[in-house]
Amino acid sequence: MILPFLEMECWTLLCQPAVAMGISVFILAGLLVHCVFLVSIFDIYFSSPLVHGMTPQQTPLPPPAKRLVLFVADGLRADSLYKLNSNSTPPAPYLRSILENNGSWGISHTRVPTESRPGHVALIAGFYEDVSAVAKGWKENPVEFDSVFNESKYTWSWGSPDILPMFAKGATGDHVYTFCYTAESEDFGAQDAAELDMWVFDHVKSFFNSSRSNQTLFSALNEEKVVLFLHLLGIDTNGHAHRPNSREYKENIKKVDEGIKEIALMIDNFYGNDGKTAFILTSDHGMTDWGTHGAGHPSETLTPLIVWGAGVNYPQRVSSQKFEDNLLKEWKLENLKRLDVNQADVAPLMASLIGVPFPLNSVGTLPLEYLNNSAHFKAESMFTNAVQIVEQFKVKMSQKRETTLSFLFTPFKPLSDSEQINYLKKARLYIQQQKYDEAISLCKTLINLALEGLSYYHTYDRLFLGLSIATSFVGWTTYVILVIIKTHTNLTKAVQTNNKESTVLFYGFAFVGMIIAFFLLIQTCPWTYYIYCLLPVPVWYAVVKELPVIQDLAANLLSHNMVQSVGFIFICILGIEILVFSFFYRSTLTLGLLVFAGWPVITQLWAQAKTNASIWTLLCVLLAIFPLMPVVGREPNIPLVIATGLLTLLISCFSLASLCKTKNKYRNKEDLKVYFYQMLSIALSTYVVSSTHDSLKNKQGLPLLNQIISWMTLVSSSVLPLLSSTFLIQRLFSILLSLMSTYLLLSTGYEALFPLVLSGLMFVWINMEQEALQRYGLSLKPKLAVFNFTYTTDITQFRQLHLDDVRRSFFFVFFIVTAFFGTGNIASVNSFDPASVYCFLTVFSPFMMGSLLLLKVVIPFVLVSCAFEAIQVTTQLSSKSLLLLVLVISDIMALHFFFLVKDYGSWLDIGTSISHYVLVMSLTIFMMLMNGLAQLLTTQRLQLSRGTKHHST
């Protein structure tokens, strides 16, 4: 089992004396602890809301419609449909005439994450999916759930293979049928993506035509409770490929409008205009101006909703409407009543129109204003909606009561068992007395209370789980600080440990752990709770063991100048707060880099090394420009990417010429061959970027040759550095060239220049640290030009940490954060542009595209990590000491963001708070992994005649 293994690993690793713990063991312990911290946020804030065991609830009165046609225009923004064109004509004339003359309209408000699967689940099943679905790419069902399709008599659906199968797979029986095009059809770079929608419309037409000669199908189509679902992916695909303001996106909307008109007329004719068909048009999510989605920007969360046909209200004329936004005036719809809903409300609306049971897990509230029916029908439908949600509340409460000790269980008081009965009895009485308005009002109150209760029980354990993780966080950070002070500084004296006290301490903490485990066991808690609640035990045991060190440190600090100590702590806190602030405002990094530019002047290094200091200042100023640039992908600039490739080639030529002039001691023919291959790779990457862009622009798709070259470049970029010389400057430059060839293929604009400027600054940083070392009078290593990464380092030459090493670690963390935000990324799902991967693939593949985008993010990290590795060696520090300082800084940042995570407020705020925490935790884990990767890239050489040796302990 993973649980006992993880607990034993953490206990064993953390209970070792700090001195005895090697760097690899410590990194393993750190990775385990940080993985727990990272995963915990999803258990605490995003566990599955679904419960099972409810009874289906159905409105007892006959429904107004026999069948429902659901059009979901994937990726369609509300403003793209409702806003008039510049010539005052509607982008979708037929749908505009529907909302003005035949039906009701409004905005469907989606939730984060604004992705296709969660959006469709909210529309069709009526609940908001948790983030655990991301593990399956939002394609398969992580948990089984009920849906309108499942409750229908028959459902026929046409569209994308990414969406349709999940509803068929979750349905009971054999009554949900899917017709999908191939996954390869979802190509961002080939033909016009509107063809995907034309495929759907054509197949629906041929389906109805074929039913005339197929009596079984004809009979099924004439049954009641039938759903026809048309998933239209073209708008989303064109939005990704060309942006929502493009001609292609707008033309796709017009084609969809024409297609919907044809389908609606065909269906009405097929059924002899019996007036028993209801139509709904909506979208799963919107899209940003730069063609992405996933976060909580209004352009992503505001989607259109137009409903017409059987049982639906006609347009309601009004003189004025009050909404916080100014959209009605902008859309010229001030006089037509706008009926906004939450996305999950669409499911009960569909269920009510065709008379099927409300989906069991639906949390939507029936939007009565869309219904054109009797007050009795509305009241009965609202009562059914209330009973269906109360059923979920009762199951949730029962589950929590069974897994909590009776004396600790705190029920949701506003909706006790007696209160539930009173509400339902009173509502039923009102309906019997024909007081329908009072019944509806009471049912809405009951629904709101039940939803509050569901949220209450769903988040019941959040406080104590959050406290457990926070306690572990503080304990871990304290432990790392103690390890640094004890093993890498002279602030404390060697303290003799009392074996008797250590034994008592061990058994004391072991006893506490057993009590916690027993407490969790009798409550039948999930296995993850054991990890979160038991983790503080070994962590704080490791801290308390070092109590003599803490006492010695306190005495030492009190004997020093308190003003200096407080000032140092204040500067550290200020630096960390600047890093935290940069997650909200990228321009903070610009301010930090400008301060860095003045570092040589502040520390008087300017007089010691004027040339290096001048270049440092210049590169800091250049790098400071990047955080002020627009987010990547919003303004693609392929000519700039090509120019960057040519500039890289030019720099390579100068470097090669310089290498050829050096003495034979530092080069050989093999090194020159490697440089030549890397230059060729840069040239090919530049060509592929230019050629692919032209091909996609002409809608000719991704050329196969370009795709092959791109993947070969990607593979070779991880191997070629290991074939180069291990002399410091040569190896670092080789790493830059290899990674640059891949980065060019993943670039769409100005970010292509970023690794060049960043690497230039890293080279100067290495030189500046040598100068800083000399200023403090510490012994020097050989000149950088002759320094070899594979030199054996005498462990006795490692020095203790100096205050200036805290500054070095801060520089590293700052550059790591700059490596992410400086390239134009923001802490949001929607900051990653799929156009970045078009040299590798254009057919939609979320995991492959996500992996390539992650690689793009990691490349600047690797460059910074390799430079930091060089600094650790050239400044005579073991890898462990500086890495520990880096861990402390990043963990304090992570703890800061842990307390900022929230699941209330606007969806933009919620998504951002989660993104920040996940990002900073990922950075921390990355930095630990990058430490090992940097050592591999800098010290190892393939096909060497002699074995390589590591320089670190």
Side-chain angles (χ1 to χ4, degrees), residues 362-384:
S362 171
V363 293
T365 304
L366 178 63
L368 292 178
E369 288 183 295
Y370 277 89
L371 297 180
N372 180 17
N373 215 315
S374 65
H376 184 199
F377 180 86
K378 291 181 180 179
E380 285 287 2
S381 296
M382 210 67 205
F383 183 80
T384 303

Side-chain angles (χ1 to χ4, degrees), residues 62 64 118 122 185 339 383 499 517 569 579 609 738 775 820 852 908:
S185 303
L339 308 173
F383 183 80
N499 290 333
I569 293 170
L579 286 172
S738 284
R775 181 171 171 270
F820 182 80
L852 289 168
L908 182 60

Side-chain angles (χ1 to χ4, degrees), residues 725-777:
S725 168
T726 52
F727 285 102
L728 187 140
I729 299 298
Q730 292 179 33
R731 174 54 70 94
L732 291 180
F733 192 69
S734 176
I735 292 169
L736 168 63
L737 289 183
S738 284
L739 296 180
M740 194 68 195
S741 61
T742 300
Y743 199 84
L744 284 171
L745 294 170
L746 293 167
S747 298
T748 60
Y750 71 87
E751 82 273 18
L753 278 167
F754 183 77
L756 275 184
V757 179
L758 180 67
S759 296
L761 186 60
M762 293 299 99
F763 280 115
V764 181
W765 184 30
I766 296 167
N767 280 282
M768 290 297 289
E769 292 297 355
Q770 287 287 92
E771 301 293 345
L773 208 64
Q774 188 179 28
R775 181 171 171 270
Y776 284 105

Side-chain angles (χ1 to χ4, degrees), residues 34-186:
H34 285 86
C35 284
V36 172
F37 291 162
L38 178 58
V39 173
S40 68
I41 203 70
F42 297 106
D43 249 351
I44 295 171
Y45 288 91
F46 297 100
S47 55
S48 176
L50 299 191
V51 289
H52 300 284
M54 291 81 67
T55 306
Q57 302 295 323
Q58 184 174 349
T59 305
L61 301 179
K66 284 186 176 181
R67 68 202 69 89
L68 173 84
V69 184
L70 174 63
F71 302 97
V72 176
D74 205 305
L76 177 61
R77 290 160 43 145
D79 61 342
S80 297
L81 182 67
Y82 294 141
K83 189 177 180 181
L84 299 178
N85 294 324
S86 54
N87 58 1
S88 296
T89 59
Y94 174 72
L95 290 171
R96 184 78 175 198
S97 70
I98 288 291
L99 71 89
E100 288 179 348
N101 305 304
N102 302 95
S104 296
W105 76 283
I107 290 175
S108 171
H109 295 265
T110 71
R111 288 193 181 184
V112 176
T114 45
E115 297 288 349
S116 289
R117 180 195 161 101
H120 281 87
V121 168
L123 287 170
I124 299 164
F127 71 91
Y128 300 105
E129 202 162 33
D130 65 285
V131 183
S132 67
V134 75
K136 298 214 174 181
W138 284 303
K139 287 186 179 181
E140 296 178 15
N141 302 353
V143 286
E144 293 303 321
F145 58 84
D146 191 23
S147 71
V148 173
F149 294 176
N150 186 43
E151 298 291 353
S152 69
K153 185 72 176 287
Y154 293 106
T155 293
W156 287 276
S157 54
W158 297 264
S160 167
D162 297 332
I163 297 299
L164 304 190
M166 70 178 176
F167 293 104
K169 182 181 175 183
T172 54
D174 185 22
H175 66 279
V176 178
Y177 304 99
T178 61
F179 304 91
C180 307
Y181 38 74
T182 61
E184 289 72 30
S185 303
E186 300 175 26

Side-chain angles (χ1 to χ4, degrees), residues 393 397 410-420 449 456-457:
F393 169 80
M397 180 178 67
T410 309
F412 182 66
K413 292 179 181 177
L415 204 58
S416 62
D417 292 343
S418 59
E419 284 292 317
Q420 293 172 40
L449 282 174
Y456 172 80
Y457 287 119

Side-chain angles (χ1 to χ4, degrees), residues 37 41 45 469-470 473-474 477 572-584 887-902 912-914 916-918 920-921 924:
F37 291 162
I41 203 70
Y45 288 91
I469 293 298
F473 243 125
V474 174
T477 307
C572 289
I573 293 171
L574 180 64
I576 291 171
E577 286 304 308
I578 288 172
L579 286 172
V580 169
F581 208 64
S582 69
F583 279 67
F584 297 95
L887 271 179
V888 170
I889 295 170
S890 57
D891 279 341
I892 293 172
M893 287 172 60
L895 185 60
H896 195 122
F897 284 117
F898 180 80
F899 288 116
L900 291 177
V901 171
K902 56 184 178 180
T912 302
S913 71
I914 297 156
H916 284 161
Y917 178 74
V918 171
V920 76
M921 282 308 306
T924 306

